[in-house]
Amino acid sequence: SSLPPVITIDGPTASGKGTVAHRVADALGFHYLDSGALYRLVALRSQRVGIEVDEVKDLADLAHGLHLRFRGDKIWLEGEEVSQLIRAEDIGNRASALAVHQQVREALTARQRAFRTRPGLVADGRDMGTVIFPDAPVKVFLTASVEARAERRYKQLIDKGFSANMEDLLRDLTARDARDASRAVAPLRPAQDAHLLDTSDMTVDQAVAQVLAWYGQAVPGQA
Ligand code: CDP
Ligand code: CDP
């Protein structure tokens, strides 16, 4: 096909998708899509305007109409820079709660596919390989033990100046994993043709090298 190549990186919370996807995109000079940020933006905006996570029609309308700008690591929502705000754990949990609705997901589909421009895209999320870019030449499903992931997220939250508690994190991660994996629409699962990568005992560098190697095999002469 003449569409630019896409590398999809899906997996559960704090498996390292964002970090690895970002690094792979930099290495290849590709664009980067953090699809989870879109759900987090819907979560933040709906919370502010007082729409509940089960008001499906209002959420879908809001998702359609969001005014967003992405530049480098920064994200603007209705003109306000919210890059750090959307990383709060309650926003992640709220995002997961509203992401169960088919209409909300459909409202974000075209926006996600629009990131696929030359020279290529690295996209991370839950359904990048299964729903949004099913024809991607390279699909990766990242995992890590729940303990490793809770520890990673704990460090990230503290670094960003949020308070965090290991017990709450373990409980919330487990609940979010279960909800993301069990929902009827676009559940978290590896695409049939995805490479599985357990990063529990890997460094970021090792994970990045493995993804680049898979890309080099799938698209020879490019990586
Ligand atoms: O995007 P996702 O929620 O899957 O994870 P992330 O935001 O990339 O966070 C993963 C955190 O774990 C980052 O602080 C990474 O530096 C760290 N980490 C990793 O991503 N991969 C490893 N193999 C080891 C640590
Ligand atoms: O950083 P973390 O992995 O915790 O979450 P995220 O990737 O920012 O996504 C937040 C929530 O949005 C997830 O728990 C999912 O329920 C939802 N999401 C989704 O349904 N589909 C995607 N492609 C990305 C995120």
Side-chain angles (χ1 to χ4, degrees):
S1 106
S2 63
L3 284 170
V6 184
I7 299 174
T8 61
I9 304 189
D10 291 305
T13 300
S15 54
K17 303 177 300 293
T19 305
V20 172
H22 214 279
R23 290 269 307 270
V24 169
D26 279 350
L28 295 170
F30 281 12
H31 302 285
Y32 165 59
L33 166 63
D34 172 4
S35 65
L38 294 173
Y39 290 90
R40 286 172 180 267
L41 288 158
V42 176
L44 177 63
R45 184 74 189 153
S46 62
Q47 185 183 59
R48 285 179 166 181
V49 301
I51 298 173
E52 302 296 328
V53 294
D54 57 356
E55 293 180 280
V56 182
K57 171 82 168 64
D58 287 350
L59 287 170
D61 287 347
L62 181 145
H64 261 298
L66 283 183
H67 188 260
L68 303 179
R69 197 164 96 88
F70 294 83
R71 202 187 165 128
D73 290 338
K74 297 208 163 125
I75 305 175
W76 286 261
L77 168 65
E78 312 300 332
E80 176 192 357
E81 208 239 274
V82 295
S83 323
Q84 294 300 314
L85 266 181
I86 58 165
R87 299 299 154 194
E89 213 45 28
D90 68 314
I91 294 295
N93 291 324
R94 190 179 165 83
S96 165
L98 57 83
V100 303
H101 305 303
Q102 165 93 352
Q103 282 175 272
V104 174
R105 308 194 68 83
E106 281 172 359
L108 295 173
T109 299
R111 230 189 253 268
Q112 294 173 77
R113 291 191 177 139
F115 278 78
R116 185 176 194 170
T117 56
R118 259 160 242 301
L121 175 68
V122 184
D124 91 67
R126 301 294 186 288
D127 63 342
M128 297 297 97
T130 50
V131 176
I132 303 298
F133 303 110
D135 65 329
V138 180
K139 300 179 185 178
V140 178
F141 194 83
L142 279 191
T143 56
S145 68
V146 70
E147 291 80 13
R149 293 188 287 117
E151 230 163 86
R152 291 174 187 178
R153 185 49 45 93
Y154 181 86
K155 285 199 190 117
Q156 280 181 311
L157 288 168
I158 297 297
D159 282 351
K160 285 179 182 159
F162 292 108
S163 65
N165 164 312
M166 203 55 187
E167 247 172 68
D168 290 352
L169 260 182
L170 266 172
R171 189 198 56 223
D172 288 353
L173 286 203
T174 307
R176 186 127 70 94
D177 286 353
R179 180 163 49 201
D180 289 352
S182 68
R183 69 185 174 211
V185 191
L188 171 68
R189 62 172 176 79
Q192 226 172 346
D193 50 349
H195 297 283
L196 302 185
L197 190 60
D198 184 333
T199 67
S200 304
D201 300 311
M202 283 177 105
T203 64
V204 172
D205 284 346
Q206 288 172 322
V208 169
Q210 178 58 259
V211 175
L212 288 173
W214 282 326
Y215 181 72
Q217 285 162 18
V219 188
Q222 297 280 307

